[in-house]
Amino acid sequence: MIRAVIFDLDGTLVETEALKAASYARAAVALRPHDLTEAQVIGAYEDLVGRTREEVAAALAERFHLPISTEVFLASRIRAYGAMLADPELIRAQEYPYATGLLRMLRAEGVPLGLATMSQRDETMRVLAILGLTDHLDVIVTREEVRCSKPDPEIYLLAAARLGAEPSHCLALEDSVPGVSSALAAGCTCVGVSSALTRAALRRSALLPADRMVEDPRELAPTVSALLATHRPERSAS
């Protein structure tokens, strides 16, 4: 049975993954303006979606032989992303209405809801506030609260515990291979909600059966509703 639903944030509720990709690209190209393009960096980022910002910065710095330390590169990227987050209209333009609409519907139905994201808490709360979702979530778990990043199951185990539900009684919505892997390793049921950045990698991973992969946003609510109906908690006899 499914008693709670746990959402990922970036790439699932809002396409901030595209903004993150652009922020890394701008920071990297500023260091190698004559022989590196934003498109090259964004292409490399596609293989890193779902990883922590430290992991992404280290991988990109190594791949593109950036002439500064990973820490300095990451600081430059954080400034670029922070400028994006300071623009509410930009964030609202990245909202996935089919996913946020599902979250609001589940909230209205009284389903316990959690968020499990590898974003930092300050960034997470900023995005949630802009989208008007903060009060719709019972539990919010961010990068600072876990030792291990996705694909490790720690973040989903913590979110489930805070929701007062067994992981096997939780449905996770994820857009990336690390996220899906994390949810499955924790014992959650998982639906993959792919984006342009993650679709190819999710297909290649074969982590989920076809009926748990949503590529048409219009199919998200019906897919989740069908799972909840099938795994509805048993009602006690009156």
Side-chain angles (χ1 to χ4, degrees), residues 106-169:
L106 295 174
R107 181 64 173 183
E109 294 176 354
V111 177
L113 299 177
L115 187 82
T117 176
M118 282 292 101
S119 284
Q120 303 294 117
R121 193 166 189 86
D122 59 341
E123 296 175 354
T124 298
M125 300 311 291
R126 172 68 175 164
V127 171
L128 291 175
I130 290 172
L131 299 181
L133 297 176
T134 310
D135 294 338
H136 288 64
L137 293 158
D138 300 293
V139 167
I140 298 171
V141 184
T142 58
R143 176 66 183 97
E144 300 94 325
E145 298 177 79
V146 294
R147 291 170 298 176
C148 302
S149 60
K150 299 175 184 177
D152 189 275
E154 182 183 6
I155 195 165
Y156 274 100
L157 294 173
L158 180 56
R162 290 185 177 175
L163 285 165
E166 292 294 328
S168 59
H169 295 168

